[in-house]
Amino acid sequence: MDINERALGLGSKRSVIRELFEYGKKRKAEIGADKVFDFSLGNPSVNPPEKVQETLKSLLLTYDPMALHGYTSAQGDLSTRTAVANALNKLCDFEISPNLIYMTCGAAASLTVSLKAIINKGDECVVFAPFFTEYRVFIENAEGEVVVSNPDEKTFQIDFDDLTSKITEKTKAVIINSPNNPSGVVYTVETIKKLSDILRSKSEQIGHTIFLISDEPYRELVYNGQKVPFVMNYYDNSIVCYSYSKSLSLPGERIGYIAVSPKSNEVSKLYNAVCGAGRSLGFVCAPSLFQKLIADCADLTVDITAYKENRDILYENLTAYGYKCVKPDGAFYLLVNCFGLDAIEFSEKAKQHEILVVPCDDFGIKGYVRIAYCVSKDTIVNSLHAFRALAKEFI
Ligand code: PLP
């Protein structure tokens, strides 16, 4: 059959995370859900804020249904974009206009649209390992080439020498993700400043703009009173890709946005390209009900106390058992070294203890697995004996 080979390839093979999640479902049916310690998926486990639930009910009860469920402007309702801009203006040293916000179906759409807006065939896009596996799919969909920059393995911050060596005349963009999936690492202000300096000087050297795409679905999920530096304050040609999937625990509702920095070169051209890319991909008019919800809830965040507690229990116990873990400051993932074993083999061994953890090879690093600790505290506590038994196989 003469169909698109790339699409066929992507659709025929499940991601390693989905594969493990499906295995988990089967295994839970066989031996009981409480016996399987499933850390495969980044599905939030805390409720959306009370106000989100109340706003939703009130919208359904009081709003004219035709207006509630009807099409909005392609780039989103002005009232929603105004609420988003107002929320961002609290982070920003300058004003962002609602006319530079584009509402999307979550961070995946924000990234796909942003990449499509700036990449021409053969342009290179740098991603920093470990990176969200779908970046490769999104960049290649925009006909760009993926270039992987390896991290400083002690801190999992950017290795600037490696980055500098990876930027070429074809570099069009770099994507950062802080707090990071899968390491939980938060980039410091120093990291963002240094990255910005390099991108500015390299843009000048190669004679065209290098865009900084900041993928921020975990922006508010930080644990030590830390603040995630807001990239637009440091680098002019930046595009923020956001989602309420994690910050409001609404991953199934598909709502997020793109914000274009008003300081970007030729900013109105860039925003128009975002609108055009959204149009060409069919990502117009993000879900209307949830746009209206965001108009009232753009400033809220879920209570992250439970995630912090899970992180602390896991990190303290796993390191005591001999695991080497990257200390996560944000998101809800823990990156664990596999005692020198291949990550796929280690993940298989973990399965024998009914622990489901994701091998990180597809995230661009070898010898690590990811634990998504956005699960109940009971799952964390009950899994500890299994983690201890697994470690004993190696030490
Ligand atoms: N970017 C990162 C780093 C993620 O972890 C995820 C989802 O887990 C996404 C993007 C996609 O987010 P969304 O579900 O809002 O499309």
Side-chain angles (χ1 to χ4, degrees):
M1 200 176 18
D2 189 19
I3 53 174
N4 184 277
E5 284 301 318
R6 187 174 170 271
L8 178 61
L10 284 170
S12 310
K13 189 175 161 267
R14 269 203 293 253
S15 79
V16 62
I17 300 175
R18 287 276 154 195
E19 203 71 62
L20 208 58
F21 178 66
E22 293 303 324
Y23 168 84
K25 277 205 296 201
K26 198 172 108 247
R27 191 69 184 138
K28 284 172 199 170
E30 282 165 8
I31 64 167
D34 59 326
K35 309 262 176 353
V36 181
F37 309 117
D38 184 354
F39 299 102
S40 61
L41 214 60
N43 212 2
S45 57
V46 302
N47 280 334
E50 200 58 38
K51 186 174 172 202
V52 166
Q53 320 263 35
E54 279 161 19
T55 307
L56 203 47
K57 280 185 214 151
S58 141
L59 283 169
L60 286 167
L61 291 173
T62 59
Y63 227 85
D64 166 24
M66 298 308 280
L68 188 59
H69 302 297
Y71 287 124
T72 66
S73 307
Q75 68 271 41
D77 254 343
L78 180 59
S79 59
T80 308
R81 289 183 287 116
T82 303
V84 169
N86 289 343
L88 287 178
N89 285 334
K90 293 181 187 147
L91 306 175
C92 206
D93 296 343
F94 46 87
E95 283 262 306
I96 302 175
S97 147
N99 295 331
L100 292 177
I101 308 293
Y102 188 94
M103 298 309 296
T104 64
C105 306
S110 303
L111 287 159
T112 322
V113 170
S114 300
L115 288 162
K116 189 79 175 170
I118 58 175
I119 286 194
N120 288 307
K121 192 178 169 103
D123 284 347
E124 290 174 355
C125 182
V126 178
V127 297
F128 297 95
F131 57 88
F132 181 54
T133 51
E134 296 304 279
Y135 291 168
R136 188 175 287 287
V137 179
F138 301 157
I139 293 166
E140 289 174 356
N141 189 50
E143 299 192 286
E145 308 280 335
V146 179
V147 175
V148 179
S149 177
N150 300 312
D152 170 345
E153 274 218 34
K154 278 199 210 87
T155 60
F156 277 80
Q157 300 271 333
I158 295 172
D159 177 337
F160 290 105
D161 290 336
D162 189 74
L163 168 65
T164 308
S165 74
K166 299 280 167 66
I167 295 179
T168 73
E169 287 183 353
K170 289 195 198 160
T171 306
K172 180 57 72 73
V174 304
I175 305 181
I176 58 169
N177 167 224
S178 162
N180 182 265
N181 173 8
S183 72
V185 162
V186 176
Y187 286 167
T188 60
V189 170
E190 289 67 40
T191 293
I192 298 297
K193 279 187 178 163
K194 197 155 179 196
L195 171 65
S196 304
D197 286 345
I198 291 175
L199 295 183
R200 264 189 295 274
S201 87
K202 283 285 183 185
S203 294
E204 202 161 301
Q205 193 185 323
I206 62 180
H208 66 78
T209 302
I210 301 175
F211 291 96
L212 173 58
I213 297 179
S214 184
D215 178 25
E216 306 185 357
Y218 304 96
R219 188 200 293 144
E220 295 82 6
L221 274 56
V222 280
Y223 302 118
N224 299 330
Q226 240 173 308
K227 285 259 175 295
V228 175
F230 191 60
V231 290
M232 288 187 191
N233 293 331
Y234 302 93
Y235 190 68
D236 290 349
N237 292 297
S238 49
I239 301 173
V240 169
C241 292
Y242 188 81
S243 156
Y244 295 96
S245 295
K246 321 286 173 167
S247 62
L248 291 183
S249 287
L250 296 174
E253 309 304 351
R254 315 308 299 139
I255 189 77
Y257 63 79
I258 298 167
V260 170
S261 170
K263 295 192 169 188
S264 306
N265 301 334
E266 302 189 84
V267 61
S268 47
K269 251 174 139 174
L270 178 59
Y271 183 71
N272 285 344
V274 165
C275 295
R279 180 180 170 193
S280 74
L281 293 163
F283 279 133
V284 287
C285 180
S288 169
L289 173 61
F290 281 84
Q291 282 196 52
K292 294 190 175 51
L293 176 109
I294 294 305
D296 269 350
C297 299
D299 255 342
L300 302 180
T301 304
V302 291
D303 180 357
I304 59 170
T305 317
Y307 295 147
K308 182 176 183 313
E309 206 180 351
N310 285 356
R311 175 198 78 149
D312 292 344
I313 299 171
L314 257 189
Y315 183 78
E316 274 158 32
N317 284 282
L318 265 56
T319 47
Y321 301 155
Y323 290 92
K324 286 206 171 60
C325 309
V326 180
K327 177 113 199 232
D329 286 324
F332 39 51
Y333 306 105
L334 181 68
L335 194 63
V336 181
N337 191 291
C338 304
F339 296 102
L341 204 69
D342 170 80
I344 295 170
E345 276 176 48
F346 182 84
S347 165
E348 286 302 316
K349 273 207 180 298
K351 270 188 192 167
Q352 291 164 12
H353 297 265
E354 309 301 348
I355 298 173
L356 307 186
V357 286
V358 175
C360 286
D361 299 47
D362 288 351
F363 291 79
I365 42 162
K366 297 218 174 287
Y368 288 87
V369 288
R370 184 191 81 172
I371 298 176
Y373 58 80
C374 45
V375 295
S376 71
K377 185 176 165 188
D378 280 353
T379 303
I380 300 277
V381 172
N382 296 338
S383 71
L384 293 176
H385 73 278
F387 275 113
R388 175 179 246 165
L390 175 61
K392 279 199 174 141
E393 292 197 27
F394 303 96
I395 42 182

